[in-house]
Amino acid sequence: TFWSGNIKEIIVYASDQSTNRFRIESNINNYYKIYDAENNGFVSKWYDQSGNNNNAVQTTGGDQPVIVSSGTLITDTAGRPAVSFGDGTDFLQFTQTTLTNETIFCKSNAILTNAFSAILSGADNRAVITQASSNVQYNLSAGGFKTISGSHSSGNQVFTFMRDGTNVSIFQNSSAKGTSTELANSSITREVIGRRGDTEGAYTGTIGEYLLYPTARTSDRADIEANIKSHYNIS
């Protein structure tokens, strides 16, 4: 007996995927629109578009962020697609993460829930962007935070984190928020999106774009930020 129809996709795992079955089926359904159901689409891998294969991955089903919620594509306030880290435990980690100099550009809506939440983080619980009360904090050193007064709990934001071998610098919507010499020359061995360090989470917002450069983009930082702000209608 032979199969006489068409086959679009076959996925074979060398392990039991019982815990991930619903998420895998939901992603396939969302792509092919096979049946009507309130399903979510989960992100197991955020692919590196540079060709360097430095993907941000999450193999644990319960910790995967969401791109489709109840059959609807998640978007930000500008109507652009965004990845939601909504339940406070979701995060992605890069496959290649040993960096000394680096620049990170991140477009998020900056919804944080407590001092242990973080949009970006790295080794030694270096929380790049976290929160205390209603204020966004930036960890520019191994042991200290700098705080922006006033609430930034919602709305599209562009956060930039840059290390040039001498200084660590933080920018929000192209505005400089502080510099430090600590960690400026350290080799960061883990880069995580949506969690502080290895174990603490609670980021509940969305991220629409994440650019990671293995160099300090000193000369063109402002131009890159301007392009992101223009694309997402950020003033």
Side-chain angles (χ1 to χ4, degrees):
T1 302
F2 298 92
W3 173 254
S4 61
N6 298 320
I7 296 176
K8 287 281 191 177
E9 186 171 347
I10 296 178
I11 303 174
V12 179
Y13 290 92
S15 60
D16 179 13
Q17 295 296 311
S18 297
T19 58
N20 297 323
R21 177 191 57 77
F22 173 73
R23 293 175 172 84
I24 296 170
E25 291 172 343
S26 294
N27 283 345
I28 295 172
N29 178 60
N30 288 326
Y31 183 81
Y32 290 106
K33 302 184 186 305
I34 299 171
Y35 54 87
D36 293 328
E38 292 188 354
N39 291 318
N40 295 334
F42 296 87
V43 179
S44 62
K45 182 181 294 185
W46 195 334
Y47 286 95
D48 179 8
Q49 301 299 309
S50 70
N52 294 314
N53 203 36
N54 187 17
N55 305 310
V57 300
Q58 178 53 262
T59 58
T60 302
D63 292 334
Q64 292 173 354
V66 179
I67 185 66
V68 175
S69 177
S70 299
T72 301
L73 180 69
I74 294 173
T75 59
D76 61 16
T77 55
R80 307 288 188 180
V83 177
S84 173
F85 294 75
D87 66 4
T89 64
D90 303 335
F91 71 100
L92 298 167
Q93 182 166 328
F94 287 99
T95 53
Q96 304 170 27
T97 56
T98 302
L99 298 173
T100 300
N101 293 353
E102 63 180 320
T103 309
I104 297 171
F105 300 91
C106 178
K107 199 289 296 182
S108 80
N109 64 351
I111 297 177
L112 304 167
T113 55
N114 58 52
F116 294 105
S117 62
I119 299 174
L120 319 172
S121 69
D124 304 319
N125 279 346
R126 173 182 58 85
V128 178
I129 301 172
T130 184
Q131 178 164 330
S133 185
S134 62
N135 300 319
V136 171
Q137 287 188 330
Y138 304 91
N139 189 351
L140 301 174
S141 65
F145 289 87
K146 296 183 181 296
T147 301
I148 292 183
S149 61
S151 175
H152 293 274
S153 59
S154 63
N156 286 332
Q157 309 279 335
V158 178
F159 295 103
T160 305
F161 172 75
M162 184 167 63
R163 298 191 301 142
D164 61 9
T166 302
N167 295 303
V168 179
S169 303
I170 292 288
F171 302 84
Q172 181 184 34
N173 294 341
S174 301
S175 177
K177 298 304 178 183
T179 61
S180 172
T181 57
E182 293 188 63
L183 293 175
N185 239 343
S186 301
S187 293
I188 302 301
T189 56
R190 298 184 300 277
E191 295 284 358
V192 181
I193 307 174
R195 174 174 287 194
R196 176 176 174 175
D198 289 332
T199 60
E200 297 171 333
Y203 174 58
T204 57
T206 65
I207 294 177
E209 188 163 345
Y210 192 102
L211 304 177
L212 172 62
Y213 290 90
T215 57
R217 310 300 297 189
T218 306
S219 61
D220 57 0
R221 173 193 58 78
D223 291 335
I224 295 172
E225 290 168 339
N227 286 340
I228 297 172
K229 290 165 63 179
S230 175
H231 182 74
Y232 291 100
N233 299 324
I234 300 173
S235 57

